[in-house]
Amino acid sequence: MKIGYYPGCSLQSSAKEYDRATRLVARHLGIQLHDINDWNCCGATAAHSMDHFLAAALPARNLIIAEEMGLDVTVPCAACYQRLRLAHRVLAENEETARDISQLIGRPYKGKVRIYSLIETIAGIGLEQLAAQVVRPLKELRVACYYGCLLVRPPGTGCDDPENPRLMDELLEAAKAETLDWGYKNECCGASLVFSERRLALHLIRNILRNAVDAGATSIACACPLCQSNLDTRQGQVNKEFGTSFAMPIFYFPQLLGLAMGLNPQDLGLGMHFVDPQRAIKAVSG
Amino acid sequence: MPRIGVFVCWCGSNIGGVLDCPAIAQEAASFPGVVFSTEYKYVCSDPGQKLIVDAIKEHRLERVVVASCSPRLHEETFRQVLRRSGLNPYFLEMANLREHCSWVHPDTPEQAQRKAVDLVRRAAAKAARLEPLFPGKIPVVRRCLVIGGGIAGIQTALDVADAGLEVLLVEREPTIGGNMVKLDKTFPTLDCSACISTPKMVAAAQHPNIKLYTYAQVEEITGYIGNFKARIRQKARFVDHAKCTGCGTCWTKCPVSVPDDFNLGLGERGAIHIPFPQAVPNKPVIDLAHCRRSTRGKCGACAKLCPAGAIDYEQKDEFIEAEVGAIVVATGYGLFPWEKVYGEYGYGRFPDVITGLMFERMVNASGPTSGKIQRPSSGKEPRTVVFIQCVGSRDEARGKEYCSRFCCMYTAKHAHQVLEKIPGSEVYVFYIDVRTFGKGYEEFYRRVQDEGAVYIRGRVSKVYQDGSKLIVKGADTLLGEQVEIAADMVVLATGAVPAAGAADVARMIGIPQDKDGFFQEAHPKLRPVETHTGGVFLAGTCQGPKDIPDTVSQASGAAAKVCGLLLKDELETNPLVSRVNEALCTGCLACQPVCPYRAIQPVTITERLPGQPPRERVVARVNEGLCQGCGACTVACRAGAIDLKGFTNKQLLAEVDALCL
Amino acid sequence: MILLGGKSSTEPDFISAVARASGHATLLHCYQCGKCTAGCPLAFGMDHKPNQIIRLLQLGRIKQVLGSRAIWICAGCWTCTTRCPCGIDIAQVMDSLRVLARNEGETVQGKDVVSFNELFLQSVRRNGRVFEFGVFMGRNLRRRKPFLDADLGRFMLTRGKLRLTAERIKGTKEVRRLFSRQGAPVRNPKERTKE
């Protein structure tokens, strides 16, 4: 299968391991990822809370390029995914905005590109095919799949049920992990609020970690660089702020899939976490 | 030209506040044929009617134009005035100055004034060409069909039967009783639902004038008011009820155990079963889908054990044809399917999130837990119970826009029952508004709050399982604070929707449904138990959510309507029906398929023209009992042979000329 | 205190501007059930809760809404929108209010948020992609807290997760044209033409 790949800015720096794991797992599963040529930032929260035109225009350039390449797009980052999906919708529904954007960029968008989250793309090859690639079943892993907000909301642009998403659980179940039904799988981690209102965001992160621990999780899987960064790298700050002692490894879901397929943990970026995931990984490798 | 009188009504300020009524009356005096013209504050009032009576006498009026409100409101009133004055009542024509003019053009009174004059001119032109009309007579079958054996259907059946008329009461479930008999106690009096409904069920079954068909469905209705034909399917019960004594041996020995639908899955029953111990009839049916003899080909325990030899695995569905004069639809309600849309309440994944009706079965002494309130997950008694109101109701986005009316009160009753049965328990009720519209309802609500139920104004955003607890996240909008409750059980006040299959019933009888699927009454205020189809009446929640007192009232109302219809020897038909001029009809029958009431049939007539031998040919004929006067056929007729009486082509063209020439 | 009746402070133009910008005309449908606030992960930190923001809009209390901290605390998680029984896109209303607040110069309550967003968009305008390290350093300079999140910075550096130089895309001209519209947030940044 051949599909356009929009990594997004974070996957070039703070979420490098997500990018690495995604490319390795995709190759292993026979999914050919073609980077969108010269892609640009989707604008993220900054654009949509400052200027509605930019919020549509920045993702639109990527959609135009993807269309020219004749490819649909898969997006690993939940935030980029939602921005691209919403821009696609604005372009389809608002003629004026669509015309202004295509004038500024100099090329039109015909609306042909279909935008998928990475979860959907991997699920698209079939759970049985995925299970067939598993050489190291994730049997010892009690994993809480964390979907956060933008993968599943608002309804209509999300890639799964907004209240009880299951796609990531199904992928990891195919890799023989034990997934958990837990209450905070779709609660917000605070996202970029952490950069301006850190204390408030730490509350949300604490709540998610606490709920996962209460549900019996030994690790959390996620599909968003900001979610991962908030839950992982801020655990120290959470522990300091609230006097807790969380030590919950936070994986990108393709890292776990890669592990199950027998790929090298280092190549999957498993040494790049703030909370050391070694114990969880060792439990898997037996 | 006949002598016409015009009466312009102010309708208080409804018309008079926008239009200059004296000026209209003055101008009308100059229209062709008008010999008298006046205006009055309320023409429909007693002095207003007298004004017409006197003017008819004094000015020898032959046609009357009343320019007032919609004919749907007062046409019949003014026809009676004409009749009292010795005129044919159909010599009346109305101009609708209120709905068609003053109400819709209050901002442009000058243009409205011109339009009003035009409307009266049109009416006068038509009035000049009105012809006398006489209602026909049709015979009446003195038997009533009641569809649905819940409390509404039972009440209607009993009232009609007590008046001496025959009733066929058809219920699709194995027992009558409907939703009411599933309830434990009823608000606000707390009398036992079974104690007050089971005697009525028995009375219906034993009444000499009521023929009860349970486990049966009406499959086809043909005919018209006073003369319907119904086809009823008696589903095979696989038990010969003529032989069965209801001894109970079979259902206690059946080896099968499946979730009990009567108890909404809270308990279990066998394949051969009665829905509950006081069921009417108190005789079992076999649920073939689960019967071991049917699924595995061997068992037959019930047949072996039955002392009466009543088990008949080969029984087939039977059909009953019946003639009835009136139909009462009382098909009731179902519960909003919350599991399909409310993911934030768990999509039904959490066993301790239950519905109000499940709570009723649970708290019912003859229910699956013998009246013990317990968490379905563990069987333990809950300490903290949260009630969420408006689940499916008042939710335009994913549920229904309307209020289901009885949920506030049953939730209050549930809160009371928890606090009464579980000393020391905590009860929280999330609400948007508490609607206590009935007699003694507000007092009951206050009492429940006094007993300790904590009412929190706000909708719950999410319920999730946290270990053995359910975490309920809500808000107290009065305080502006978030609320989180660790609950043992959550009860959803699921709203009411039309019973499953309501659309099929609507289609079968030919009655419309409203936007939510409830059956449409003929007028929301003044004809709430009638439908637009003559002889078909509504009772209970099939017309819209209502509580038991309102349901029973409407059921008795429907019964009164049925008696009013069936106790006549003959029915007067509406004379405003289509008429085929057989001399012009070519027999093409283009009119037949456009008739929504199946009122047109071909007939063969023998034509005798002077100097020619008699010859036979086919023409269309209108059944005046079925025709509702819609006029569709008149438009379809290529030969111009069909006219709608009271709206003839000549009359309509005169109106057009009055407006356009 | 909210005073109503007589000379109401309602400004229908403003309300309809919010409704239009939010793709919805149903603000008046809200019956204050509070489901938005109930599910809002950040309501505890807001001065006016989400349902109160809608209520204030219904009552025309524009100054109070634009001057509230709540609109800057909303993280845009869309939980409220997803569950609103009236179909109001509350998250989008919040977004529109932020945009309008900026246009009206009412950003005191959200100066850190606005400042961060500006730095972010400047970076995108300059490079076509966001240069994370640059944005964070910029934030710390603006807030005069050079060592904010220094622990994280050190960690990221040691793991090679922080790129120290910006990567510029070829199509920056196209991207800059998108920023050229009237009213764009960082249309005329005080940036050097060469880095």
Side-chain angles (χ1 to χ4, degrees), chain B residues 298-315:
Chain B
K298 56 179 178 186
C299 176
C302 48
K304 280 175 216 139
L305 292 168
C306 178
I311 308 295
D312 175 6
Y313 296 115
E314 306 308 319
Q315 201 177 63

Side-chain angles (χ1 to χ4, degrees), chain A residues 161 164 181 183-184 186-187, chain B residues 343-344 347 349 462 464 473:
Chain A
D161 185 286
N164 186 25
D181 195 358
Y184 271 62
N186 59 344
E187 291 288 326
Chain B
E344 62 265 50
Y347 286 135
R349 282 177 298 143
K462 179 166 175 168
Y464 66 90
K473 291 175 65 149

